[in-house]
Amino acid sequence: MPILIVDDDDIALELLQNTLEDEGYEVESANNGYDALEKLRSGRFQTVVSDWEMDIMDGVQLCREVRKRCFSSYIYFILVTGRTSTKDVVEGLDAGADDFIAKPFEPAELCVRLRVGERIRALESRNGMIFALAKLAESRDTDTGSHLDRIRDYCRVLAQQLSTLPAYRDIVDGDYIQTLYQTSPLHDIGKVGIPDNILLKPGKLTEEEFAIMKTHVEIGAETLAAVAANHPGMDFLDMALELTLSHHERFDGSGYPQGLVADEIPLSGRILALADVYDAITTERVYKKAATHDVARSVILKGRGAHFDPDIVDAFLAVEKEFIEIKSQFESTNEITDYPSSLQVQLAV
């Protein structure tokens, strides 16, 4: 999205515009606060760089007006000013300014401050969108809420363990773990497209019903792809889409929807596959009772190299205590059995 720059000095405005365009930014300008507000109504701008001192609505007044109005997304506001006293800084912050840059400005400093704003906006947008999409999935199943909480914690501890291994150290860093933690609750968003008589059926699905159930991965991926197309630059959606599409793939190629094998399956999908099965076995669902940790452990070990990536099974074994603690944190009064029912076996393998 373009940056809106505001200054009533044409020379200063041109200098600022040239500086930003040289750095690859798309820029539009306004000569005063009123003109800026009219342009902001279009919803095209998420960043404003404004001079403080202007004859027609100064930068502080403009900032106050921006904060009063309900724009479609948060607008990051930088004031360009020669004022550096504590009183002036307090006045600017009280008006809602996010940052200041002193005149005469250094282009490198301005660009760094703009990148800070981009990160802050991206985090806000990401968290808001993930929450909204996760609530959409939760709306179809009253058991989903705690399931999503457990899943993201299971994924987090598995990824943290993998990050200690040489083979994954350059792949699974802090950003990867955080993105996986935040996006894993979206993995079953496609279930919003599955009929209730199948999604909530208290018994074994027929072959025809199971075929319909399996389409939730494509429905979810298509939903997230559409969101990504309308919100360019939100890179976290790439992981959300890949884990949604791949978490029912199996390491030996017998999974769905694409029959991917081993490393063809995105790492996020391989991690989520184990976390999802563990949670499915150890919690009560409409069609089954909950089984113990030992039952889930047995199923996972049996699936090592077939259903699950061996490295991720080994990571699970290294963090078993943390899985048990997470499960206990969200424990309900569900009946716990010592053996998997036929439905648990069907679900897990």
Side-chain angles (χ1 to χ4, degrees):
M1 285 189 173
I3 295 172
L4 180 64
I5 58 175
V6 191
D7 201 314
D8 61 359
D9 183 324
D10 290 339
I11 295 175
L13 200 62
E14 183 177 2
L15 175 61
L16 184 56
Q17 181 162 352
N18 290 340
T19 297
L20 294 178
E21 288 179 343
D22 286 346
E23 294 295 327
Y25 289 102
E26 182 184 351
V27 180
E28 288 195 27
S29 62
N31 292 107
N32 58 68
Y34 289 112
D35 186 21
L37 282 175
E38 282 300 307
K39 290 179 180 290
L40 286 170
R41 290 176 61 189
S42 69
R44 298 181 58 241
F45 306 96
Q46 292 185 348
T47 302
V48 173
V49 180
S50 175
D51 186 37
W52 183 313
E53 298 183 12
M54 296 183 289
D55 290 335
I56 304 176
M57 189 184 289
D58 67 24
V60 168
Q61 292 171 322
L62 171 60
C63 190
R64 290 189 191 280
E65 287 299 318
V66 167
R67 296 299 178 235
K68 283 181 189 175
R69 302 178 184 221
C70 297
F71 291 103
S72 59
S73 62
Y74 185 79
I75 295 174
Y76 195 82
F77 202 106
I78 300 176
L79 278 172
V80 182
T81 178
R83 302 186 181 194
T84 57
S85 71
T86 300
K87 178 184 176 182
D88 290 325
V89 171
V90 169
E91 183 181 358
L93 291 173
D94 184 62
D98 296 288
D99 205 349
F100 298 84
I101 189 163
K103 287 183 174 181
F105 66 86
E106 288 289 334
E109 180 185 0
L110 176 58
C111 290
V112 167
R113 293 179 185 275
L114 285 170
R115 287 196 289 272
V116 170
E118 289 166 5
R119 289 197 296 271
I120 291 172
R121 286 199 326 274
L123 286 172
E124 183 221 12
S125 298
R126 177 173 70 179
N127 294 341
M129 185 174 295
I130 289 172
F131 178 79
L133 292 171
K135 293 300 287 185
L136 176 63
E138 184 181 341
S139 69
R140 293 298 311 284
D141 187 349
T142 56
D143 292 330
T144 300
S146 294
H147 169 65
L148 300 182
D149 289 325
R150 291 188 301 267
I151 283 292
R152 65 181 184 176
D153 280 339
Y154 293 147
C155 286
R156 174 180 53 80
V157 298
L158 286 172
Q160 287 173 336
Q161 177 60 25
L162 288 174
S163 72
T164 67
L165 306 177
Y168 296 94
R169 194 166 293 148
D170 294 334
I171 303 170
V172 185
D173 57 12
D175 286 342
Y176 185 98
I177 294 169
Q178 180 69 6
T179 303
L180 178 63
Y181 176 81
Q182 291 186 316
T183 58
S184 55
L186 302 179
H187 67 284
D188 275 342
I189 190 172
K191 286 185 177 178
V192 298
I194 304 301
D196 282 347
N197 66 308
I198 296 175
L199 182 65
L200 305 178
K201 182 178 180 179
K204 185 175 180 178
L205 299 179
T206 66
E207 288 186 12
E208 293 78 11
E209 290 170 336
F210 187 54
I212 294 172
M213 176 65 85
K214 289 196 295 185
T215 64
H216 79 274
V217 294
E218 286 109 334
I219 295 171
E222 289 168 3
T223 299
L224 292 171
V227 173
N230 286 304
H231 296 83
M234 292 193 175
D235 295 339
F236 75 93
L237 288 172
D238 294 337
M239 182 179 290
L241 195 155
E242 73 178 21
L243 64 82
T244 296
L245 189 60
S246 66
H247 70 282
H248 283 295
E249 299 287 355
R250 299 190 178 193
F251 199 72
D252 63 3
S254 63
Y256 66 88
Q258 296 174 295
L260 302 179
V261 178
D263 291 347
E264 293 176 355
I265 307 169
L267 179 60
S268 61
R270 284 178 273 151
I271 293 171
L272 182 57
L274 188 148
D276 198 28
V277 167
Y278 179 88
D279 194 64
I281 295 173
T282 57
T283 57
E284 185 173 340
R285 302 289 174 87
V286 294
Y287 46 81
K288 72 172 190 68
K289 298 294 185 180
T292 63
H293 169 83
D294 287 340
V295 169
R297 184 182 193 275
S298 176
V299 170
I300 289 169
L301 287 177
K302 183 179 178 181
R304 186 179 189 277
H307 192 153
F308 307 111
D309 182 337
D311 287 348
I312 296 173
V313 173
D314 293 344
F316 164 74
L317 295 175
V319 295
E320 274 189 90
K321 288 184 179 179
E322 292 179 72
F323 264 62
I324 294 170
E325 289 171 2
I326 293 166
K327 175 176 174 291
S328 176
Q329 179 184 352
F330 297 100
E331 195 75 88
S332 67
T333 57
N334 295 341
E335 177 185 348
I336 304 296
T337 61
D338 290 324
Y339 56 88
S341 71
S342 60
L343 284 171
Q344 287 167 336
V345 172
Q346 178 194 21
L347 179 63
V349 300

